[in-house]
């Protein structure tokens, strides 16, 4: 039986209990061998992260230390890219027989059609979508779903976690002054 590997990619600026909750849920629900938190230097669709990469890696290791099946990695230097398609291709070369599940929130599905090689990506790994507050209906009407259909995406039903790195950053910046 081949390995089942989850990938949660992002800047993790900062990592939080929402990342941890969907990781634990995925490990159990999808019967994954492990999950890789692929921490990228910069999201191609967002502003430069507030925290340096080393700090985000350190905080991610700290928040996941009790969950042995979560591995913290950064691949940007090895693959010279922060694009998901390049990451998944790189990982698939290393473990050819593994089945990959790329975890995203429904907020990401809304703009999934803007990702590099998004159609290919959904063919080489299982795009696994978690509900995010305010995005479920929008994601079901997304260009990706309309173009490729529901069957190309694994839409999970899980408890919605109302936390995001952007909210944390906004609050941090508000109270910092």
């Amino acid at each position: 039986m081949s390995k089942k590997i989850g990938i949660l990619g992002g800047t993790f600026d900062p990592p939080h209990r929402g990342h941890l909750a969907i990781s634990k849920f995925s490990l159990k629900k999808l019967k994954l061998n492990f999950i890789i938190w692929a921490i990228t230097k910069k999201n191609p669709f967002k502003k430069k992260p507030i925290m340096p990469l080393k700090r985000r890696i350190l905080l991610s290791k700290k928040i996941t230390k009790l969950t042995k099946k979560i591995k913290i990695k950064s691949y940007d230097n090895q693959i010279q890219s922060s694009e998901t398609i390049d990451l998944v291709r790189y990982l698939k070369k290393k473990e050819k027989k593994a089945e990959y599940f790329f975890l995203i929130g429904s907020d990401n599905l809304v703009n999934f059609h803007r990702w590099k090689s998004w159609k290919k990506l959904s063919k080489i790994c299982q795009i696994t979508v978690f509900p995010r507050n305010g995005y479920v209906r929008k994601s079901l009407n997304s260009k990706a779903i309309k173009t490729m259909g529901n069957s190309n995406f694994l839409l999970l039903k899980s408890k919605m976690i109302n936390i995001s790195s952007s909210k944390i950053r906004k609050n941090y910046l508000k109270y910092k002054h």
Side-chain angles (χ1 to χ4, degrees):
M1 194 164 133
S2 66
K3 272 189 194 168
K4 292 170 85 176
I5 302 170
I7 306 165
L8 183 61
T11 50
F12 295 85
D13 187 34
H16 53 73
R17 61 186 164 85
H19 295 128
L20 190 59
I22 67 168
S23 296
K24 286 179 174 179
F25 181 84
S26 298
L27 283 163
K28 201 171 171 181
K29 177 90 174 162
L30 303 169
K31 296 175 174 57
L32 302 174
N33 292 81
F34 59 89
I35 286 183
I36 300 166
W37 280 17
I39 303 174
T40 187
K41 287 179 186 173
K42 186 189 177 317
N43 178 325
F45 299 109
K46 292 182 182 173
K47 288 185 211 146
K48 188 177 183 278
I50 291 175
M51 281 189 245
L53 181 64
K54 277 187 176 159
R55 176 104 180 105
R56 291 181 278 132
I57 290 171
L58 193 73
L59 289 172
S60 296
K61 285 181 177 176
K62 194 174 179 181
I63 200 173
T64 60
K65 74 174 180 271
L66 298 175
T67 312
K68 300 290 178 237
K69 289 185 171 190
I70 299 175
K71 300 177 179 199
I72 309 301
K73 305 252 186 208
S74 180
Y75 295 96
D76 291 15
N77 290 339
Q78 286 109 302
I79 61 175
Q80 296 298 302
S81 170
S82 57
E83 300 287 353
T84 303
I85 187 79
D86 299 326
L87 169 66
V88 175
R89 283 180 176 147
Y90 174 80
L91 292 172
K92 281 187 86 68
K93 267 187 202 149
K94 291 182 76 115
E95 266 204 74
K96 289 177 180 63
K97 287 190 170 40
E99 186 181 354
Y100 288 91
F101 293 79
F102 194 82
L103 314 175
I104 64 171
S106 53
D107 54 327
N108 280 302
L109 189 54
V110 173
N111 291 309
F112 190 68
H113 66 280
R114 294 176 52 214
W115 291 28
K116 179 183 169 191
S117 306
W118 62 281
K119 288 179 184 172
K120 279 185 190 145
L121 182 61
S122 65
K123 292 196 183 348
I124 63 171
C125 68
Q126 179 65 67
I127 305 299
T128 308
V129 185
F130 282 85
R132 288 288 301 267
N133 240 349
Y135 289 97
V136 176
R137 187 169 287 126
K138 283 182 202 167
S139 69
L140 293 174
N141 292 316
S142 68
K143 185 176 178 178
I145 293 272
K146 284 183 175 167
T147 305
M148 300 179 66
N150 280 11
S151 61
N152 284 286
F153 301 94
L154 180 56
L155 306 169
L156 294 180
K157 286 181 174 69
S158 68
K159 196 174 98 188
M160 273 196 233
I161 295 140
N162 195 13
I163 188 171
S164 72
S165 295
S166 350
K167 267 187 191 170
I168 293 171
R169 283 192 307 273
K170 202 180 285 179
N171 288 336
Y172 171 76
L173 292 172
K174 195 180 347 182
Y175 296 110
K176 192 179 174 190
H177 298 85

